[in-house]
Amino acid sequence: VGLLTEKVLSVDSNGGYSVESRTTDMTVTAGGEVTKAEDQPPTVDLYDRLGQLLEVKGKDRDSTDFRMEQFQAIHYPDRPIKVGDTWDLSVRKKDGSLEVIGTCLVQGRESSGGVDCFKLRTTMKEMRDKDPMSCDLTWWVSVQDGSQVKVDGIIKNMPIEGLGIADTKSTLVLQK
C-alpha cells in the first residue's frame, strides 16, 4: 500500500507527455510481516499520446524499472472509450519483437475519491521465458482527462529490490 504523487511536466504537439512521479508511504507485506519501505526519489517517465511508455528517467533507473513501468501504465486505444469496450494491447521492443501482450476492458463508470471514473480491468503478460511478469489490475481513471486515480491488483513475478522475484498485491491511490 502506498501513495503515488504525479505531476504532468510537459505535453508536446503530438500529444506525448512527461510525468514526474514520487512514491511515498509504502508498506510491503512479505511472509505475513509488514515493513515500511523507503520513500522513492522522484522519477520522470515519457509517454506517447496513447500512454505507451517510451523512456524512464531518474536516479538509479534501469531496465527492471522499464519492465515494471509497462505494467503500471494504461495503454489506451486510438479512439474514445465507453463502458463495455475491450481492446488488445502490445508493447514492442526496439527490435520490433513483442515484449508485453494483454487486454483491457471498460467494466463500468463509478466514483473514486470524488472523481468520476471509468473502471478498467487490464491483464498483461511478458513474452519472456524466464520469470515473466503478469498482472491482473483494476484501474480507476478520470473520465475528464484519462489520468489515473487508483489502481488495485496483482502482479506476479515482480522483481523487488532486496527481495528478488515475488508475487505482489497492491493498492495505490494516486495524488495529483
Side-chain angles (χ1 to χ4, degrees):
V1 178
L3 179 65
L4 177 61
T5 304
E6 293 186 324
K7 177 175 142 183
V8 175
L9 298 177
S10 65
V11 178
D12 67 30
S13 61
N14 294 325
Y17 55 98
S18 63
V19 177
E20 179 184 74
S21 302
R22 178 185 291 272
T23 305
T24 58
D25 302 320
M26 292 284 293
T27 57
V28 176
T29 304
E33 227 175 277
V34 177
T35 305
K36 169 116 173 68
E38 285 186 30
D39 290 349
Q40 299 299 306
T43 61
V44 176
D45 296 328
L46 306 176
Y47 298 90
D48 73 9
R49 67 184 184 84
L50 298 176
Q52 178 77 41
L53 180 65
L54 302 174
E55 185 179 353
V56 294
K57 296 180 177 183
K59 185 179 183 219
D60 301 325
R61 302 291 301 260
D62 61 20
S63 61
T64 299
D65 292 315
F66 191 82
R67 285 178 62 205
M68 292 189 319
E69 292 283 342
Q70 294 293 359
F71 285 79
Q72 297 170 9
I74 297 175
H75 303 264
Y76 289 105
D78 195 11
R79 65 184 190 286
I81 63 173
K82 64 184 181 313
V83 174
D85 280 353
T86 62
W87 61 93
D88 294 327
L89 57 95
S90 61
V91 176
R92 296 197 174 271
K93 296 179 185 178
K94 289 183 181 180
D95 68 6
S97 63
L98 279 174
E99 183 170 27
V100 177
I101 60 170
T103 60
C104 192
L105 163 67
V106 183
Q107 291 184 311
R109 192 166 166 169
E110 61 186 55
S111 179
S112 178
V115 177
D116 185 22
C117 294
F118 283 117
K119 183 178 176 183
L120 310 178
R121 180 164 181 207
T122 302
T123 57
M124 298 189 305
K125 66 178 179 179
E126 284 185 303
M127 305 302 293
R128 62 173 46 214
D129 294 329
K130 186 175 187 305
D131 300 322
M133 277 195 295
S134 63
C135 72
D136 186 345
L137 301 172
T138 301
W139 298 90
W140 288 261
V141 298
S142 169
V143 170
Q144 180 180 7
D145 63 13
S147 63
Q148 302 170 9
V149 176
K150 179 181 173 183
V151 62
D152 184 63
I154 295 170
I155 299 177
K156 293 185 177 184
N157 290 332
M158 183 173 178
I160 300 175
E161 190 175 331
L163 294 176
I165 303 293
D167 293 346
T168 64
K169 176 161 183 15
S170 302
T171 300
L172 284 174
V173 176
L174 291 90
Q175 177 176 308
K176 301 275 184 233

